[in-house]
Amino acid sequence: TLLRARAWVAHGGGDYAEAERLYRAILDRVPDDETAGVNLALLDARRGNVAEARTRLGQLASRNGRSTQVAQALAELEAAQQ
């Protein structure tokens, strides 16, 4: 919970490198953490790593097929690419 809060504050404050580090730490502990995975994918896309973001979101979608959060992130990624 503390890592998630720190990641959220870093992400919201524009410290994307720290947010990424913290999201990765969360995923090391809980590999299926949907929120950390989606946020990390969004940071990937922000850096221009769209293929990596798409892959990460695809993996999340395969594990969490009914997730509206993952579906929304995929839709946003696709819309940004058009």
Side-chain angles (χ1 to χ4, degrees):
T1 302
L2 180 58
L3 280 177
R4 186 180 310 281
R6 290 175 52 205
W8 185 79
V9 168
H11 197 159
D15 188 351
Y16 302 124
E18 178 66 1
E20 180 179 346
R21 185 187 73 74
L22 293 166
Y23 291 137
R24 288 186 188 282
I26 293 167
L27 291 169
D28 284 345
R29 293 179 183 189
V30 185
D32 288 336
D33 188 292
E34 188 175 311
T35 301
V38 166
N39 286 330
L40 186 55
L42 295 175
L43 289 175
D44 289 339
R46 184 179 197 2
R47 273 195 327 274
N49 296 334
V50 176
E52 189 173 336
R54 189 175 286 118
T55 298
R56 184 179 307 283
L57 291 172
Q59 291 169 345
L60 285 169
S62 70
R63 291 190 302 259
N64 303 300
R66 294 185 171 168
S67 169
T68 56
Q69 184 179 16
V70 172
Q72 181 179 359
L74 277 166
E76 287 176 17
L77 183 64
E78 294 305 319
Q81 293 305 297
Q82 295 179 4

